[in-house]
């Protein structure tokens, strides 16, 4: 049995059912699970002192494309809208292989960990030159993050009227076969799982209607979750109306893409009826505010979604459309962006942090994560609020109003992945050097 006690945090934001905020409380962790919360807990094992710190549940990232970490801020795509941005990047992505997938994933996961993230999903939808979903899963195991990779796909290339070049698309039968392979090999349905696999055609404009439907049937047969991009911007809505004769919400519903086992990225352009559909069907949303700002997509109606009862989580989206992947900064951006359209009382710092923790965990079907309560997994972020960013604030719980934007310590399943601001599980400077070398080669 391994035991850790996190002792004496100035503030503990539990995000439990009562949203309790405790001062001076300790947390006992036993074998990766939160065993006890209270004052003056003794420990037979390690003690992590948390005076001068705010402790929160580990943040949950519900949308990412880790491979894009090697193509940040590519000059030709910096100022383009979604479709033009994609067309700039597809040729570069076609040069990726297994080692690029591994290094980009390690880099992106380390960046997330340092920003408080303990559980992330990933949406990998292109597999050039022998790359496989396995490459990213091995990377997540190396660094020790809780990981929900999704087997993405594109099947309609340029020659068939699609957006991606033909060399990046796959045959639909092969896509479904590989979905089965990765689910059977890696998916763990048990409570506390470190790896859960999902099925995720890239978007309604890069796969056929048949693949959307078959992917949903397969996911339900296997008991795994489903994910895609939906209603991202005006072009996306226009495409849906023109090609499918309906709005994205209707298209999703017709093909089985609504329900508690489904979450859609972006949903910037959902209308009132679609929000009601998502609420009544318990369909989740991955809100990606920085990406939406970066690509000029618009302001997602998150206030309306939350008021209607839609499960909303947060996503940094791929590092080519953010271009950062700092999850706590993303939560701040979510708070600010709702205020742009709805006023200063549209979203509080605490609500944004709730979306970033238990909100995301619920979207990913992980009620065992995203909250600090007895029986939950020990995914915990410890933020040092004794530094200059927080100086002068007497509500350290309002983390998103001030900072910091990096954790001091991070525990995943009770294991320390970040200690004193340093990733402990991989040699990060070496990984960063490899990432830079690979990015230069890809650009060449
Ligand atoms: Zn995306």
């Amino acid at each position: 049995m391994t035991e850790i006690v996190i002792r004496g945090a100035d503030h503990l934001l539990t995000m439990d059912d009562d949203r309790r905020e405790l001062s001076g409380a300790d947390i006992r962790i036993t074998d990766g699970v939160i065993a006890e919360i209270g004052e003056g807990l003794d420990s037979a094992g390690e003690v992590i002192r948390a005076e001068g710190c705010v402790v929160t549940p580990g943040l949950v990232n519900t949308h990412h494309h880790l491979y894009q970490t090697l193509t940040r801020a590519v000059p030709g795509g910096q100022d383009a809208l979604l479709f033009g941005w994609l067309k700039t990047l597809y040729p570069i992505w076609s040069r990726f292989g297994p080692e690029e997938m591994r290094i980009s994933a390690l880099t992106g996961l380390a960046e997330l960990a340092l920003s408080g993230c303990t559980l992330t999903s990933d949406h990998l939808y292109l597999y050039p030159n022998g790359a496989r979903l396995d490459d990213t899963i091995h990377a997540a195991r190396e660094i020790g993050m809780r990981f929900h990779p999704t087997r993405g796909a594109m099947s309609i290339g340029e020659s068939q009227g699609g957006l991606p070049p033909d060399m990046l698309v796959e045959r639909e039968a092969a896509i479904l076969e590989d979905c089965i392979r990765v689910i059977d090999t890696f998916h763990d349905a048990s409570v506390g799982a470190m790896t859960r696999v999902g099925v995720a055609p890239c978007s309604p404009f890069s796969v056929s209607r048949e693949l959307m439907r078959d992917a949903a049937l397969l996911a339900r047969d296997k008991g795994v979750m489903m994910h895609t991009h939906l209603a991202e911007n005006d072009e996306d809505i226009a495409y849906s109306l023109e090609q499918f004769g309906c709005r994205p919400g209707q298209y999703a519903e017709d093909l089985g893409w609504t329900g508690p086992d489904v979450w859609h990225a972006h949903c910037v352009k959902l209308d009132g009826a679609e929000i009601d559909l998502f609420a009544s069907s318990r369909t989740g949303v991955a809100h990606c505010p920085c990406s939406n700002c970066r690509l000029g997509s618009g302001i997602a109606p998150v206030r309306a979604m939350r008021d209607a009862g839609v499960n909303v989580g947060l996503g940094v989206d791929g590092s080519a459309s953010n271009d950062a992947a700092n999850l706590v900064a993303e939560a701040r951006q979510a708070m600010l962006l709702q205020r742009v359209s709805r006023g200063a009382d549209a979203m509080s710092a605490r609500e944004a942090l709730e979306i970033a923790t238990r909100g995301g965990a619920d979207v990913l079907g992980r009620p065992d994560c995203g909250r600090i309560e007895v029986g939950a997994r020990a995914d915990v972020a410890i933020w040092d609020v004794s530094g200059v960013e927080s100086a002068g604030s007497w509500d350290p719980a309002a983390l998103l109003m001030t900072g910091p934007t990096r954790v001091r310590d991070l525990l995943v399943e009770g294991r320390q992945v970040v200690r004193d601001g340093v990733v402990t599980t991989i040699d990060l400077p070496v990984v960063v050097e490899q990432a830079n070398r690979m990015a230069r080669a890809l650009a060449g």
Side-chain angles (χ1 to χ4, degrees), residues 63 65 229 266 317:
H63 186 64
H65 311 286
H229 294 98
H266 300 303
D317 202 0

Side-chain angles (χ1 to χ4, degrees), residues 63-65 68 123 125 227 229 232 265-266 288 291 317-318 321:
H63 186 64
H64 206 338
H65 311 286
Q68 294 179 5
H123 188 185
Y125 52 82
H227 180 50
H229 294 98
E232 182 165 351
H266 300 303
C288 307
S291 169
D317 202 0
S321 66

Side-chain angles (χ1 to χ4, degrees), residues 2 33 81 134 217-218 233 255 269 277 305 423:
T2 60
V33 176
L81 292 175
D134 316 33
L217 292 172
L218 170 64
N233 66 4
L255 296 173
K269 298 293 175 181
L277 168 67
M305 291 179 193
V423 177

